[in-house]
Amino acid sequence: MAELAPGLVTIFGGSGFVGAQVARALARRGWRIRIAVRKPALAHELRMAGDVGQVQLTLCDITNKEDVAAALQGADAAINLVGILCETGARKFDTVHVEGSRNVAEAAAAAGVKQLVQMSALGADANSDAAYARTKGEAEQAVRAAYPSAVIVRPSVIFGTEDQFLNRFGNMAARMPVMPVVEGQSRLQPVHVLDVAEAIARLTIDTRHAGETFELGGPAVWTMKEIIDYVLAETGRDRFTVALPTFASKAIASLVQIPAAIGLTPALTVDQVKMLASDNVVSDGAKGFADLGIEPTGMKAIAEGYLWRYRNGGQYAAVTA
């Protein structure tokens, strides 16, 4: 493997769900980590991700070119993990995904950064009707135009102890008498956050993969209905499930996304309903975990370790075989 010697890597969005694990994976390999985030004061615990002085935090808004350029000074590699799942207040898809990614790629090229990894998403498509998928696709194009050798990583929906995926369903199961199922037959390939982080770490230091795109999915394909049923079983909740047709899902989403106008995160958006209308699985022939020597972890092996918190009685609840 043609590896970069350990140096300085700037991780944009390094304090997030995926970023924290990427920082730890690279710190173990001896890299110095610069975590570029909008709110460094909220990410001080990441200083413990490595040895004393190995991890540093810097203030950076990815939409500000000067901030991005400063964050990349002296960096040997860069990783862009910044993304939003829904628009809130001034945080818009076009601004964060497209403009922000372009800023990172252009600054990385200007700074002579040796390797750039851009995290996208399965389903990224510049022609998609869903704004999230469209802007993820446009971001890939912007990155490729400014930094042709960038590595693109497209994970499926990511699960893990602090995820916003299974935890959301677990919370719903614990609080709601009925579980709505949106696009129940759509297929997903949930992938563990540690597997995604390990893949990104390897791609950051392995120059053989320059310019390539990797699609990352777990070992099993689930329908949305199967995931809901699994969460209900794992949390010991006997709930009636209701399959919502697309038009009903969009109508409900239109109402519950109203809080986004004042900066709050909505439970569901119309854009997310559009995304769920399509499968979110790895494409045939796409490069993925196997090409990196990684065996992905199944969802059941991990999820039972944190879904217990939504049982009636928590970890002391009786578990039905």
Side-chain angles (χ1 to χ4, degrees), residues 167-180 239 310:
N167 278 305
R168 176 174 293 186
F169 293 137
N171 188 52
M172 291 170 62
R175 297 172 180 273
M176 299 173 61
V178 176
M179 284 289 284
R239 299 289 187 257
Y310 302 106

Side-chain angles (χ1 to χ4, degrees), residues 72-247:
L72 285 170
Q73 286 185 4
D76 299 287
I79 304 169
N80 181 23
L81 305 175
V82 178
I84 55 175
L85 295 175
C86 61
E87 297 182 325
T88 57
R91 302 280 287 172
K92 304 300 182 183
F93 287 133
D94 285 292
T95 303
V96 175
H97 291 168
V98 185
E99 293 181 22
S101 297
R102 181 182 293 111
N103 289 344
V104 170
E106 290 179 349
V113 169
K114 299 172 185 175
Q115 188 87 320
L116 171 63
V117 177
Q118 166 82 10
M119 189 169 83
S120 184
L122 276 187
D125 181 358
N127 296 313
S128 175
D129 290 335
Y132 175 86
R134 174 182 58 79
T135 53
K136 280 291 188 179
E138 291 176 349
E140 290 185 7
Q141 294 176 348
V143 169
R144 284 274 190 252
Y147 197 114
S149 63
V151 181
I152 304 293
V153 177
R154 297 174 177 170
S156 184
V157 60
I158 303 174
F159 68 88
T161 306
E162 303 301 325
D163 68 41
Q164 297 182 43
F165 175 50
L166 295 181
N167 278 305
R168 176 174 293 186
F169 293 137
N171 188 52
M172 291 170 62
R175 297 172 180 273
M176 299 173 61
V178 176
M179 284 289 284
V181 180
V182 179
E183 301 292 347
Q185 296 309 306
S186 61
R187 302 186 305 148
L188 298 89
Q189 203 166 343
V191 59
H192 190 211
V193 63
L194 291 183
D195 294 332
V196 174
E198 179 62 20
I200 291 173
R202 295 188 186 188
L203 290 169
T204 300
I205 66 178
D206 189 347
T207 58
R208 294 178 305 170
H209 298 297
E212 296 180 346
T213 297
F214 284 76
E215 297 191 358
L216 306 179
V221 174
W222 298 65
T223 66
M224 183 58 72
K225 177 64 164 58
E226 289 171 340
I227 291 172
I228 296 295
D229 288 343
Y230 169 70
V231 171
L232 290 175
E234 194 60 46
T235 58
R237 302 289 180 171
D238 184 13
R239 299 289 187 257
F240 183 67
T241 58
V242 177
L244 296 179
T246 300
F247 75 88

